Amino acid sequence: MPQFTVPFSGPRSRSGPLSFGHANIVRAITIDDDPTRLNLAMVFDAPAEADVDHVAGLLRTLVERHESLRTTYRLTTPPVQHVAADGEFRIELVESAEAAGDPLTVAERTARRLRAKVFDLTAELPFRAALLTRDGVPLHLVWVVTHAAMDVAACETLHSEWTALSQGRPLPPPSVQPLDVVELEGTPRIQRLGAGALRYWEAQMRRVPQAMFTPSYAAPAKTSWLHAGLSIRSRTAPGHLKAIAERTGGSPSAVVLAALTALLAHRTGHRTVVTTSLSGNRVVRALRGFVGSLAQDAVLPVEFDGLDGFDDVVRKVRSTALPAYRSSWFDPTAVWQVINGVSGERGISFARDLVFNDMSALAMDADSPDQSARGRLPGVWIPGHQAPLEEDPELGGSITWLPAEDIPCRFFACLYRMDEEFELTLWVDPQTLAAAEAEEFGRTLLRLLRAAAEADLPLKDLPALTTLPPTERGDGWVLSDHTWIEPAAVRDLLAEVTGDVPHAVTVVPDERIGHRVVCHLAAPANPEAVHERALVALPGRVTAIVPHHYLVHPSPPADDPADPAAWAELPVIAEASGRTRGRDNT
């Protein structure tokens, strides 16, 4: 493809550490087996009647304005960012007349091609650009930006600024830059917020389920995270959300999350539904309009014990969300130490498998660009080109499938709009919900909102709204420490880590946690060593946990070493706890 080079000259060059959210994303990129998942692709309209040089000049303005677009990294421990004052970038030229398909389709295809290439964070600028033309006249600008440089809120800001520049409107002074955020995070106020966030995360990690979605360990091995997207759109749902919000005192976003939570409690059989909700962390006034990566996770558990109606769920989500979002600004290294530490103490491996991303409020002011979009992140975002909604009157909305995206999560809900139109996309692992089940989930969501808008819906009546069945769990399943497990999966885990050492696994009822897992070993086995190996091998086994106790016997049963009951009759010469003393949830 032909390219041309554009020089830039920013106001300054400087280097320094990374802010919390920034470091969190860079960490994710460097450990991901496919870093291109964290590339953000956008297709913006070019200014009307502009030539290539004019478009290049507008792009230069944004690059010079935002230090995040002029940054490379030294991936040391900890990493360091370096902002270049001067340099150049390239714009690829794509002539639509020479490519198959309409210009917008060609632009989307170009965005996907550029997104599929890994960024070298140490050597190249963190964005790629292509200009789609027809007979040399610019039509669409393709942006591909590494998540290290921007989060979704920053993408919205970039689009707003691009729209203003395209219309000849001046931009206000830029917001703070990424290195300024580092300085802000060193202030006593933000340090206190961070310390409080770690305490909050530790408290939640001690009581949440290990995983929300528990396909059996005997299911086919997972080889791909490509999930088709289910788009749910409705013109009537915003009115339903408003009615429920006014009655309960919750926000429309809280109502949506409550509906998802109630349906997932029905589906999974969990009495605690834990959501990882993405937080833009722009609550400080100085950070509004910030172009960089600030987004982090808010962990939001909703306990259903004592809840009778859907209004109770909304109020529970509202009250839980306040401390959750307040605790979403933290040192990522420290919070992962908390997550891994508490998981090790509990003998679990926390699975971030239910994620909610509310993007509906990112572009609601009067000067914002059109919220409609032909495509949405996490794929390729194409603002302002969505097809009109063809609503099924009986359903009160539409449900359509979108192309598959590579999303390493069991259930990812993206809320895009709640204004004149409700728009939600679900990216669902087919091992969690098959295609027909996912469609029924979407239909039930709209039915639930319609029913709850008329009056509070008793939770006992929710199953009558859907043909979506609860997950079947027979004799092969037990509930232990808030987590559904398969004893057979625990036995498979212990068989792998003990090798030829004789052993057995028993599961016994427990008043506090439901069931307690005990591992029997024959001398001279070392239970501490077995336990450590089991913790290392546990991640990814969402239906297994590490035993709560280890009992060492003089020898295995003589008659039937495979019979757990026979082990229980043997004398015990040593025992060890599988939970850290003094920190045992159980």
Side-chain angles (χ1 to χ4, degrees), residues 3 60 90 104 148 160 189 209 220 244 303 329 335 408 437 471 515 522:
Q3 297 181 337
R60 178 194 296 114
R90 292 186 297 275
L104 201 57
S160 295
R189 176 191 174 193
I244 300 168
E303 296 179 353
W329 199 350
V335 86
E437 292 177 324
T471 300
H515 292 83

Side-chain angles (χ1 to χ4, degrees), residues 16-18 23 26 74-81 333:
L18 276 58
V26 171
R74 291 201 303 273
L75 299 179
T76 51
T77 304
V80 174
Q81 58 180 312
T333 300

Side-chain angles (χ1 to χ4, degrees), residues 490-543:
V490 182
R491 295 186 179 104
D492 184 72
L493 169 67
L494 268 294
E496 179 178 310
V497 301
T498 56
D500 296 332
V501 175
H503 71 281
V505 173
T506 59
V507 178
V508 297
D510 183 277
E511 291 184 359
R512 294 185 63 193
I513 64 166
H515 292 83
R516 187 176 296 269
V517 180
V518 180
C519 176
H520 302 264
L521 297 166
N526 182 339
E528 287 81 6
V530 170
H531 183 73
E532 290 302 318
R533 290 198 295 270
L535 283 173
V536 172
L538 181 62
R541 302 173 192 251
V542 294
T543 65

